[in-house]
Amino acid sequence: HFYLSYKRRKFRFSFKDTMGKADLPIVSFTQDGKCFKFLIDSGASISVLNSSSLANIECIELGEKQKIYGIDGNNVDVSLVGVKLYSQNHKFVEIFQVCEVPGLDNIKKDDGIEVVGILGNSFLKRYSFIIDFKRLAAYSNGNENKTENT
């Protein structure tokens, strides 16, 4: 039954190469001919764009601010941006919280992989992603789940 859900998926995002380098599930998207890498984090409720990457990626500032608790327990103000990403001739849209994520900069320093953000559950649910660590890939049907309020 689980295997059948894979067969219905349109898109396969391999993270085999990044698991070999950084031991992390990192997937790629494009925007205006540039490649952007994102860490898949099913433990994150929302998606985050690293503030150091903001100048390199096309986004729409939504004019909203939110307060979140950082990993250190401190309250942090973040802004929201809308981003369109592309893969396999399909558009994926997400709202990202923008904040400093030093751990992403460390991935580049330690493993040579520039990661601009984190794809959290808001994105994974919206596009019905299945993460398969046996095949080192994430699968999506590419269709936005209309039942989610985001």
mmCIF file of all heavy atoms in Angstrom, residues 26-75:
data_model
loop_
_atom_site.group_PDB
_atom_site.id
_atom_site.type_symbol
_atom_site.label_atom_id
_atom_site.label_comp_id
_atom_site.label_asym_id
_atom_site.label_seq_id
_atom_site.Cartn_x
_atom_site.Cartn_y
_atom_site.Cartn_z
ATOM 1 N N ILE A 26 19.174 17.151 1.751
ATOM 2 C CA ILE A 26 19.170 18.471 1.125
ATOM 3 C C ILE A 26 18.706 18.308 -0.319
ATOM 4 O O ILE A 26 19.213 17.461 -1.047
ATOM 5 C CB ILE A 26 20.576 19.103 1.189
ATOM 6 C CG1 ILE A 26 20.978 19.312 2.659
ATOM 7 C CG2 ILE A 26 20.618 20.415 0.418
ATOM 8 C CD1 ILE A 26 22.427 19.702 2.855
ATOM 9 N N VAL A 27 17.722 19.122 -0.714
ATOM 10 C CA VAL A 27 17.171 19.050 -2.063
ATOM 11 C C VAL A 27 17.373 20.386 -2.776
ATOM 12 O O VAL A 27 17.541 21.421 -2.136
ATOM 13 C CB VAL A 27 15.671 18.658 -2.056
ATOM 14 C CG1 VAL A 27 15.494 17.238 -1.547
ATOM 15 C CG2 VAL A 27 14.852 19.630 -1.226
ATOM 16 N N SER A 28 17.345 20.340 -4.099
ATOM 17 C CA SER A 28 17.617 21.523 -4.917
ATOM 18 C C SER A 28 16.382 21.999 -5.662
ATOM 19 O O SER A 28 15.579 21.189 -6.133
ATOM 20 C CB SER A 28 18.706 21.207 -5.940
ATOM 21 O OG SER A 28 19.899 20.848 -5.308
ATOM 22 N N PHE A 29 16.277 23.314 -5.773
ATOM 23 C CA PHE A 29 15.261 23.974 -6.578
ATOM 24 C C PHE A 29 15.966 25.052 -7.390
ATOM 25 O O PHE A 29 17.097 25.424 -7.078
ATOM 26 C CB PHE A 29 14.182 24.626 -5.696
ATOM 27 C CG PHE A 29 13.316 23.639 -4.982
ATOM 28 C CD1 PHE A 29 13.687 23.127 -3.756
ATOM 29 C CD2 PHE A 29 12.116 23.223 -5.534
ATOM 30 C CE1 PHE A 29 12.894 22.208 -3.092
ATOM 31 C CE2 PHE A 29 11.314 22.306 -4.887
ATOM 32 C CZ PHE A 29 11.698 21.796 -3.653
ATOM 33 N N THR A 30 15.309 25.548 -8.414
ATOM 34 C CA THR A 30 15.890 26.633 -9.194
ATOM 35 C C THR A 30 14.979 27.842 -9.159
ATOM 36 O O THR A 30 13.783 27.748 -8.843
ATOM 37 C CB THR A 30 16.121 26.232 -10.664
ATOM 38 O OG1 THR A 30 14.868 25.884 -11.249
ATOM 39 C CG2 THR A 30 17.107 25.085 -10.777
ATOM 40 N N GLN A 31 15.603 28.960 -9.517
ATOM 41 C CA GLN A 31 14.874 30.211 -9.641
ATOM 42 C C GLN A 31 15.720 31.094 -10.559
ATOM 43 O O GLN A 31 16.887 31.361 -10.233
ATOM 44 C CB GLN A 31 14.684 30.853 -8.266
ATOM 45 C CG GLN A 31 13.799 32.059 -8.253
ATOM 46 C CD GLN A 31 13.792 32.725 -6.900
ATOM 47 O OE1 GLN A 31 14.762 33.360 -6.534
ATOM 48 N NE2 GLN A 31 12.696 32.585 -6.176
ATOM 49 N N ASP A 32 15.183 31.500 -11.670
ATOM 50 C CA ASP A 32 15.906 32.336 -12.638
ATOM 51 C C ASP A 32 17.271 31.757 -13.002
ATOM 52 O O ASP A 32 18.271 32.469 -13.061
ATOM 53 C CB ASP A 32 16.062 33.756 -12.106
ATOM 54 C CG ASP A 32 14.728 34.463 -11.934
ATOM 55 O OD1 ASP A 32 13.804 34.179 -12.734
ATOM 56 O OD2 ASP A 32 14.596 35.283 -11.015
ATOM 57 N N GLY A 33 17.334 30.444 -13.216
ATOM 58 C CA GLY A 33 18.564 29.795 -13.629
ATOM 59 C C GLY A 33 19.574 29.536 -12.518
ATOM 60 O O GLY A 33 20.628 28.969 -12.764
ATOM 61 N N LYS A 34 19.276 29.956 -11.310
ATOM 62 C CA LYS A 34 20.169 29.721 -10.175
ATOM 63 C C LYS A 34 19.654 28.539 -9.365
ATOM 64 O O LYS A 34 18.449 28.356 -9.215
ATOM 65 C CB LYS A 34 20.228 30.948 -9.256
ATOM 66 C CG LYS A 34 20.755 32.196 -9.899
ATOM 67 C CD LYS A 34 20.722 33.321 -8.881
ATOM 68 C CE LYS A 34 20.829 34.671 -9.551
ATOM 69 N NZ LYS A 34 20.565 35.754 -8.599
ATOM 70 N N CYS A 35 20.582 27.770 -8.813
ATOM 71 C CA CYS A 35 20.227 26.612 -7.995
ATOM 72 C C CYS A 35 20.269 27.002 -6.514
ATOM 73 O O CYS A 35 21.218 27.647 -6.066
ATOM 74 C CB CYS A 35 21.211 25.474 -8.261
ATOM 75 S SG CYS A 35 20.835 23.991 -7.312
ATOM 76 N N PHE A 36 19.233 26.601 -5.780
ATOM 77 C CA PHE A 36 19.162 26.851 -4.342
ATOM 78 C C PHE A 36 18.900 25.539 -3.624
ATOM 79 O O PHE A 36 18.032 24.774 -4.022
ATOM 80 C CB PHE A 36 18.050 27.858 -4.021
ATOM 81 C CG PHE A 36 18.299 29.209 -4.600
ATOM 82 C CD1 PHE A 36 17.673 29.615 -5.775
ATOM 83 C CD2 PHE A 36 19.172 30.092 -3.980
ATOM 84 C CE1 PHE A 36 17.905 30.862 -6.320
ATOM 85 C CE2 PHE A 36 19.411 31.345 -4.512
ATOM 86 C CZ PHE A 36 18.782 31.728 -5.686
ATOM 87 N N LYS A 37 19.645 25.309 -2.567
ATOM 88 C CA LYS A 37 19.531 24.073 -1.807
ATOM 89 C C LYS A 37 18.831 24.338 -0.478
ATOM 90 O O LYS A 37 19.100 25.335 0.188
ATOM 91 C CB LYS A 37 20.906 23.461 -1.578
ATOM 92 C CG LYS A 37 21.584 23.065 -2.887
ATOM 93 C CD LYS A 37 22.832 22.265 -2.652
ATOM 94 C CE LYS A 37 23.528 21.920 -3.939
ATOM 95 N NZ LYS A 37 22.767 21.163 -4.875
ATOM 96 N N PHE A 38 17.938 23.392 -0.120
ATOM 97 C CA PHE A 38 17.158 23.493 1.111
ATOM 98 C C PHE A 38 17.270 22.196 1.895
ATOM 99 O O PHE A 38 17.218 21.104 1.325
ATOM 100 C CB PHE A 38 15.681 23.759 0.788
ATOM 101 C CG PHE A 38 15.420 25.115 0.232
ATOM 102 C CD1 PHE A 38 15.550 25.353 -1.131
ATOM 103 C CD2 PHE A 38 15.060 26.164 1.053
ATOM 104 C CE1 PHE A 38 15.325 26.603 -1.668
ATOM 105 C CE2 PHE A 38 14.825 27.427 0.529
ATOM 106 C CZ PHE A 38 14.965 27.644 -0.837
ATOM 107 N N LEU A 39 17.380 22.317 3.187
ATOM 108 C CA LEU A 39 17.393 21.183 4.095
ATOM 109 C C LEU A 39 15.952 20.782 4.381
ATOM 110 O O LEU A 39 15.122 21.625 4.731
ATOM 111 C CB LEU A 39 18.099 21.566 5.393
ATOM 112 C CG LEU A 39 18.054 20.571 6.537
ATOM 113 C CD1 LEU A 39 18.836 19.313 6.184
ATOM 114 C CD2 LEU A 39 18.602 21.208 7.806
ATOM 115 N N ILE A 40 15.643 19.519 4.224
ATOM 116 C CA ILE A 40 14.326 19.010 4.613
ATOM 117 C C ILE A 40 14.369 18.743 6.113
ATOM 118 O O ILE A 40 15.237 18.013 6.598
ATOM 119 C CB ILE A 40 13.983 17.712 3.867
ATOM 120 C CG1 ILE A 40 13.820 17.970 2.370
ATOM 121 C CG2 ILE A 40 12.705 17.088 4.440
ATOM 122 C CD1 ILE A 40 13.577 16.717 1.564
ATOM 123 N N ASP A 41 13.430 19.355 6.844
ATOM 124 C CA ASP A 41 13.392 19.170 8.297
ATOM 125 C C ASP A 41 11.948 18.925 8.718
ATOM 126 O O ASP A 41 11.181 19.857 8.950
ATOM 127 C CB ASP A 41 13.959 20.398 9.004
ATOM 128 C CG ASP A 41 14.061 20.207 10.510
ATOM 129 O OD1 ASP A 41 13.558 19.197 11.038
ATOM 130 O OD2 ASP A 41 14.651 21.085 11.165
ATOM 131 N N SER A 42 11.585 17.656 8.838
ATOM 132 C CA SER A 42 10.209 17.311 9.217
ATOM 133 C C SER A 42 9.932 17.627 10.682
ATOM 134 O O SER A 42 8.794 17.570 11.114
ATOM 135 C CB SER A 42 9.926 15.837 8.929
ATOM 136 O OG SER A 42 10.769 15.018 9.701
ATOM 137 N N GLY A 43 10.954 18.003 11.431
ATOM 138 C CA GLY A 43 10.762 18.421 12.823
ATOM 139 C C GLY A 43 10.487 19.909 12.959
ATOM 140 O O GLY A 43 10.168 20.394 14.037
ATOM 141 N N ALA A 44 10.594 20.646 11.859
ATOM 142 C CA ALA A 44 10.315 22.086 11.863
ATOM 143 C C ALA A 44 8.887 22.306 11.392
ATOM 144 O O ALA A 44 8.485 21.798 10.347
ATOM 145 C CB ALA A 44 11.290 22.816 10.940
ATOM 146 N N SER A 45 8.115 23.060 12.140
ATOM 147 C CA SER A 45 6.724 23.278 11.750
ATOM 148 C C SER A 45 6.615 24.242 10.570
ATOM 149 O O SER A 45 5.705 24.124 9.759
ATOM 150 C CB SER A 45 5.900 23.785 12.934
ATOM 151 O OG SER A 45 6.443 24.990 13.422
ATOM 152 N N ILE A 46 7.553 25.160 10.452
ATOM 153 C CA ILE A 46 7.502 26.166 9.393
ATOM 154 C C ILE A 46 8.791 26.115 8.574
ATOM 155 O O ILE A 46 9.770 25.485 8.959
ATOM 156 C CB ILE A 46 7.314 27.588 9.977
ATOM 157 C CG1 ILE A 46 8.270 27.840 11.162
ATOM 158 C CG2 ILE A 46 5.901 27.789 10.455
ATOM 159 C CD1 ILE A 46 9.595 28.338 10.781
ATOM 160 N N SER A 47 8.781 26.801 7.453
ATOM 161 C CA SER A 47 9.967 26.899 6.608
ATOM 162 C C SER A 47 10.706 28.190 6.951
ATOM 163 O O SER A 47 10.086 29.201 7.263
ATOM 164 C CB SER A 47 9.580 26.889 5.136
ATOM 165 O OG SER A 47 9.009 25.646 4.794
ATOM 166 N N VAL A 48 12.023 28.121 6.870
ATOM 167 C CA VAL A 48 12.866 29.254 7.256
ATOM 168 C C VAL A 48 13.848 29.544 6.137
ATOM 169 O O VAL A 48 14.451 28.626 5.570
ATOM 170 C CB VAL A 48 13.643 28.935 8.554
ATOM 171 C CG1 VAL A 48 14.578 30.068 8.922
ATOM 172 C CG2 VAL A 48 12.686 28.628 9.695
ATOM 173 N N LEU A 49 14.016 30.818 5.842
ATOM 174 C CA LEU A 49 15.027 31.268 4.890
ATOM 175 C C LEU A 49 16.118 31.966 5.691
ATOM 176 O O LEU A 49 15.828 32.851 6.514
ATOM 177 C CB LEU A 49 14.405 32.226 3.877
ATOM 178 C CG LEU A 49 15.278 32.683 2.724
ATOM 179 C CD1 LEU A 49 15.669 31.495 1.835
ATOM 180 C CD2 LEU A 49 14.548 33.719 1.886
ATOM 181 N N ASN A 50 17.364 31.554 5.478
ATOM 182 C CA ASN A 50 18.478 32.149 6.195
ATOM 183 C C ASN A 50 18.628 33.608 5.769
ATOM 184 O O ASN A 50 18.679 33.910 4.583
ATOM 185 C CB ASN A 50 19.757 31.361 5.892
ATOM 186 C CG ASN A 50 20.857 31.636 6.884
ATOM 187 O OD1 ASN A 50 20.708 32.411 7.826
ATOM 188 N ND2 ASN A 50 21.988 30.988 6.680
ATOM 189 N N SER A 51 18.704 34.510 6.726
ATOM 190 C CA SER A 51 18.789 35.936 6.407
ATOM 191 C C SER A 51 20.010 36.257 5.555
ATOM 192 O O SER A 51 19.976 37.177 4.743
ATOM 193 C CB SER A 51 18.767 36.776 7.682
ATOM 194 O OG SER A 51 19.804 36.384 8.557
ATOM 195 N N SER A 52 21.086 35.480 5.681
ATOM 196 C CA SER A 52 22.276 35.732 4.863
ATOM 197 C C SER A 52 22.040 35.388 3.390
ATOM 198 O O SER A 52 22.808 35.809 2.536
ATOM 199 C CB SER A 52 23.476 34.942 5.403
ATOM 200 O OG SER A 52 23.274 33.557 5.254
ATOM 201 N N SER A 53 20.988 34.661 3.078
ATOM 202 C CA SER A 53 20.670 34.279 1.692
ATOM 203 C C SER A 53 19.618 35.181 1.063
ATOM 204 O O SER A 53 19.326 35.056 -0.134
ATOM 205 C CB SER A 53 20.156 32.840 1.662
ATOM 206 O OG SER A 53 21.098 31.972 2.208
ATOM 207 N N LEU A 54 19.055 36.075 1.826
ATOM 208 C CA LEU A 54 17.922 36.879 1.367
ATOM 209 C C LEU A 54 18.249 37.694 0.113
ATOM 210 O O LEU A 54 17.408 37.816 -0.784
ATOM 211 C CB LEU A 54 17.451 37.801 2.489
ATOM 212 C CG LEU A 54 16.112 38.482 2.324
ATOM 213 C CD1 LEU A 54 15.002 37.459 2.125
ATOM 214 C CD2 LEU A 54 15.797 39.338 3.533
ATOM 215 N N ALA A 55 19.452 38.217 0.012
ATOM 216 C CA ALA A 55 19.817 39.053 -1.137
ATOM 217 C C ALA A 55 19.973 38.242 -2.418
ATOM 218 O O ALA A 55 19.899 38.808 -3.518
ATOM 219 C CB ALA A 55 21.113 39.797 -0.837
ATOM 220 N N ASN A 56 20.159 36.933 -2.317
ATOM 221 C CA ASN A 56 20.431 36.095 -3.487
ATOM 222 C C ASN A 56 19.203 35.444 -4.095
ATOM 223 O O ASN A 56 19.271 34.915 -5.203
ATOM 224 C CB ASN A 56 21.424 34.994 -3.118
ATOM 225 C CG ASN A 56 22.734 35.566 -2.645
ATOM 226 O OD1 ASN A 56 23.194 36.583 -3.155
ATOM 227 N ND2 ASN A 56 23.334 34.933 -1.667
ATOM 228 N N ILE A 57 18.081 35.460 -3.392
ATOM 229 C CA ILE A 57 16.898 34.743 -3.849
ATOM 230 C C ILE A 57 15.757 35.739 -4.056
ATOM 231 O O ILE A 57 15.597 36.677 -3.282
ATOM 232 C CB ILE A 57 16.520 33.626 -2.842
ATOM 233 C CG1 ILE A 57 15.544 32.639 -3.441
ATOM 234 C CG2 ILE A 57 16.021 34.192 -1.534
ATOM 235 C CD1 ILE A 57 15.429 31.343 -2.661
ATOM 236 N N GLU A 58 15.006 35.533 -5.127
ATOM 237 C CA GLU A 58 13.886 36.423 -5.407
ATOM 238 C C GLU A 58 12.727 36.065 -4.486
ATOM 239 O O GLU A 58 12.301 34.911 -4.410
ATOM 240 C CB GLU A 58 13.464 36.269 -6.864
ATOM 241 C CG GLU A 58 12.427 37.263 -7.293
ATOM 242 C CD GLU A 58 12.066 37.102 -8.757
ATOM 243 O OE1 GLU A 58 12.980 36.939 -9.585
ATOM 244 O OE2 GLU A 58 10.851 37.125 -9.053
ATOM 245 N N CYS A 59 12.240 37.080 -3.776
ATOM 246 C CA CYS A 59 11.126 36.848 -2.847
ATOM 247 C C CYS A 59 10.278 38.106 -2.759
ATOM 248 O O CYS A 59 10.682 39.187 -3.174
ATOM 249 C CB CYS A 59 11.643 36.436 -1.478
ATOM 250 S SG CYS A 59 12.710 37.648 -0.686
ATOM 251 N N ILE A 60 9.107 37.931 -2.197
ATOM 252 C CA ILE A 60 8.182 39.043 -1.984
ATOM 253 C C ILE A 60 8.038 39.235 -0.480
ATOM 254 O O ILE A 60 7.623 38.312 0.227
ATOM 255 C CB ILE A 60 6.804 38.748 -2.612
ATOM 256 C CG1 ILE A 60 6.929 38.575 -4.107
ATOM 257 C CG2 ILE A 60 5.812 39.850 -2.271
ATOM 258 C CD1 ILE A 60 5.673 38.063 -4.779
ATOM 259 N N GLU A 61 8.404 40.411 -0.018
ATOM 260 C CA GLU A 61 8.232 40.705 1.409
ATOM 261 C C GLU A 61 6.746 40.880 1.674
ATOM 262 O O GLU A 61 6.061 41.620 0.973
ATOM 263 C CB GLU A 61 9.018 41.957 1.792
ATOM 264 C CG GLU A 61 10.502 41.748 1.595
ATOM 265 C CD GLU A 61 11.338 42.455 2.613
ATOM 266 O OE1 GLU A 61 10.828 42.802 3.698
ATOM 267 O OE2 GLU A 61 12.522 42.644 2.320
ATOM 268 N N LEU A 62 6.252 40.178 2.668
ATOM 269 C CA LEU A 62 4.817 40.189 2.947
ATOM 270 C C LEU A 62 4.423 41.276 3.940
ATOM 271 O O LEU A 62 3.242 41.449 4.221
ATOM 272 C CB LEU A 62 4.384 38.810 3.451
ATOM 273 C CG LEU A 62 4.644 37.673 2.461
ATOM 274 C CD1 LEU A 62 4.222 36.344 3.052
ATOM 275 C CD2 LEU A 62 3.934 37.925 1.139
ATOM 276 N N GLY A 63 5.409 42.003 4.478
ATOM 277 C CA GLY A 63 5.120 43.120 5.372
ATOM 278 C C GLY A 63 4.624 42.701 6.740
ATOM 279 O O GLY A 63 4.098 43.512 7.478
ATOM 280 N N GLU A 64 4.770 41.443 7.062
ATOM 281 C CA GLU A 64 4.331 40.942 8.366
ATOM 282 C C GLU A 64 5.540 40.583 9.200
ATOM 283 O O GLU A 64 6.572 40.191 8.691
ATOM 284 C CB GLU A 64 3.458 39.697 8.203
ATOM 285 C CG GLU A 64 2.162 39.943 7.474
ATOM 286 C CD GLU A 64 1.344 38.668 7.353
ATOM 287 O OE1 GLU A 64 1.302 37.888 8.318
ATOM 288 O OE2 GLU A 64 0.772 38.459 6.277
ATOM 289 N N LYS A 65 5.380 40.724 10.501
ATOM 290 C CA LYS A 65 6.409 40.313 11.451
ATOM 291 C C LYS A 65 5.782 39.294 12.405
ATOM 292 O O LYS A 65 4.595 39.351 12.693
ATOM 293 C CB LYS A 65 6.919 41.498 12.272
ATOM 294 C CG LYS A 65 7.585 42.584 11.454
ATOM 295 C CD LYS A 65 9.008 42.255 11.216
ATOM 296 C CE LYS A 65 9.685 43.417 10.500
ATOM 297 N NZ LYS A 65 10.983 43.118 10.045
ATOM 298 N N GLN A 66 6.595 38.364 12.853
ATOM 299 C CA GLN A 66 6.162 37.393 13.842
ATOM 300 C C GLN A 66 7.235 37.281 14.904
ATOM 301 O O GLN A 66 8.402 37.575 14.656
ATOM 302 C CB GLN A 66 5.956 36.013 13.221
ATOM 303 C CG GLN A 66 4.774 35.898 12.328
ATOM 304 C CD GLN A 66 4.589 34.478 11.812
ATOM 305 O OE1 GLN A 66 5.495 33.663 11.829
ATOM 306 N NE2 GLN A 66 3.395 34.183 11.341
ATOM 307 N N LYS A 67 6.830 36.848 16.074
ATOM 308 C CA LYS A 67 7.786 36.535 17.131
ATOM 309 C C LYS A 67 7.844 35.016 17.243
ATOM 310 O O LYS A 67 6.822 34.354 17.283
ATOM 311 C CB LYS A 67 7.355 37.138 18.464
ATOM 312 C CG LYS A 67 7.528 38.635 18.529
ATOM 313 C CD LYS A 67 7.326 39.114 19.960
ATOM 314 C CE LYS A 67 7.537 40.605 20.055
ATOM 315 N NZ LYS A 67 8.919 40.992 19.948
ATOM 316 N N ILE A 68 9.062 34.505 17.251
ATOM 317 C CA ILE A 68 9.250 33.068 17.428
ATOM 318 C C ILE A 68 10.274 32.851 18.526
ATOM 319 O O ILE A 68 11.038 33.751 18.871
ATOM 320 C CB ILE A 68 9.723 32.370 16.128
ATOM 321 C CG1 ILE A 68 11.080 32.912 15.667
ATOM 322 C CG2 ILE A 68 8.691 32.508 15.039
ATOM 323 C CD1 ILE A 68 11.743 32.083 14.592
ATOM 324 N N TYR A 69 10.266 31.672 19.080
ATOM 325 C CA TYR A 69 11.298 31.296 20.028
ATOM 326 C C TYR A 69 12.390 30.567 19.271
ATOM 327 O O TYR A 69 12.128 29.598 18.563
ATOM 328 C CB TYR A 69 10.734 30.393 21.131
ATOM 329 C CG TYR A 69 9.939 31.166 22.136
ATOM 330 C CD1 TYR A 69 8.555 31.200 22.073
ATOM 331 C CD2 TYR A 69 10.574 31.884 23.148
ATOM 332 C CE1 TYR A 69 7.816 31.927 22.978
ATOM 333 C CE2 TYR A 69 9.841 32.621 24.054
ATOM 334 C CZ TYR A 69 8.466 32.631 23.970
ATOM 335 O OH TYR A 69 7.743 33.362 24.875
ATOM 336 N N GLY A 70 13.605 31.072 19.405
ATOM 337 C CA GLY A 70 14.744 30.430 18.767
ATOM 338 C C GLY A 70 15.100 29.150 19.491
ATOM 339 O O GLY A 70 14.575 28.834 20.563
ATOM 340 N N ILE A 71 16.041 28.423 18.920
ATOM 341 C CA ILE A 71 16.458 27.159 19.505
ATOM 342 C C ILE A 71 17.069 27.358 20.891
ATOM 343 O O ILE A 71 17.025 26.478 21.736
ATOM 344 C CB ILE A 71 17.418 26.413 18.550
ATOM 345 C CG1 ILE A 71 17.515 24.957 18.930
ATOM 346 C CG2 ILE A 71 18.774 27.085 18.508
ATOM 347 C CD1 ILE A 71 18.118 24.081 17.862
ATOM 348 N N ASP A 72 17.586 28.566 21.126
ATOM 349 C CA ASP A 72 18.184 28.872 22.423
ATOM 350 C C ASP A 72 17.154 29.344 23.448
ATOM 351 O O ASP A 72 17.492 29.665 24.574
ATOM 352 C CB ASP A 72 19.283 29.917 22.265
ATOM 353 C CG ASP A 72 18.781 31.208 21.626
ATOM 354 O OD1 ASP A 72 17.574 31.299 21.332
ATOM 355 O OD2 ASP A 72 19.604 32.121 21.422
ATOM 356 N N GLY A 73 15.880 29.400 23.047
ATOM 357 C CA GLY A 73 14.807 29.803 23.954
ATOM 358 C C GLY A 73 14.531 31.295 23.959
ATOM 359 O O GLY A 73 13.611 31.746 24.622
ATOM 360 N N ASN A 74 15.316 32.078 23.238
ATOM 361 C CA ASN A 74 15.107 33.519 23.178
ATOM 362 C C ASN A 74 14.044 33.870 22.155
ATOM 363 O O ASN A 74 13.909 33.212 21.133
ATOM 364 C CB ASN A 74 16.411 34.252 22.826
ATOM 365 C CG ASN A 74 17.420 34.169 23.946
ATOM 366 O OD1 ASN A 74 17.063 34.198 25.115
ATOM 367 N ND2 ASN A 74 18.687 34.058 23.588
ATOM 368 N N ASN A 75 13.308 34.938 22.438
ATOM 369 C CA ASN A 75 12.281 35.441 21.546
ATOM 370 C C ASN A 75 12.953 36.225 20.414
ATOM 371 O O ASN A 75 13.776 37.091 20.666
ATOM 372 C CB ASN A 75 11.339 36.347 22.343
ATOM 373 C CG ASN A 75 9.957 36.383 21.776
ATOM 374 O OD1 ASN A 75 9.725 35.927 20.668
ATOM 375 N ND2 ASN A 75 9.034 36.938 22.537
#
